[in-house]
Amino acid sequence: MTTTQRFVTTGMHCHSCSMLIQMDVGGIDGVEAVVSDHRTGITEVTYDDSVLDPEQIVEAIVKAGYGAELAGD
């Protein structure tokens, strides 16, 4: 099933930071869409929750060099 979740992402300072996260997270199997905004510090990911879970997305953002946690909408 497709799920969309938001992640609070820290350490982004510019558009290039947002693009890096979008490329890295977007390359994960099961991810359908990624929108990351350095101005708001929010990364929104649409993914197949039968393939991956939010912790794997957080790990990918952290591996890219940024802080991340699931947003408590």
Side-chain angles (χ1 to χ4, degrees):
M1 185 165 96
T2 300
T3 301
T4 299
Q5 292 194 298
R6 294 164 46 109
F7 299 84
V8 176
T9 309
T10 57
M12 294 188 294
H13 303 288
C14 64
H15 181 70
S16 294
C17 295
S18 299
M19 293 301 298
L20 179 63
I21 290 171
Q22 290 174 181
M23 288 187 314
D24 285 0
V25 175
I28 299 171
D29 190 37
V31 172
E32 297 180 12
V34 182
V35 177
S36 187
D37 188 338
H38 69 280
R39 294 169 299 206
T40 63
I42 297 295
T43 299
E44 187 173 274
V45 183
T46 302
Y47 62 97
D48 182 342
D49 63 9
S50 69
V51 176
L52 67 142
D53 58 46
E55 291 80 23
Q56 292 170 290
I57 295 169
V58 167
E59 288 174 15
I61 295 170
V62 169
K63 187 176 179 182
Y66 303 92
E69 64 182 33
L70 193 57
D73 295 328

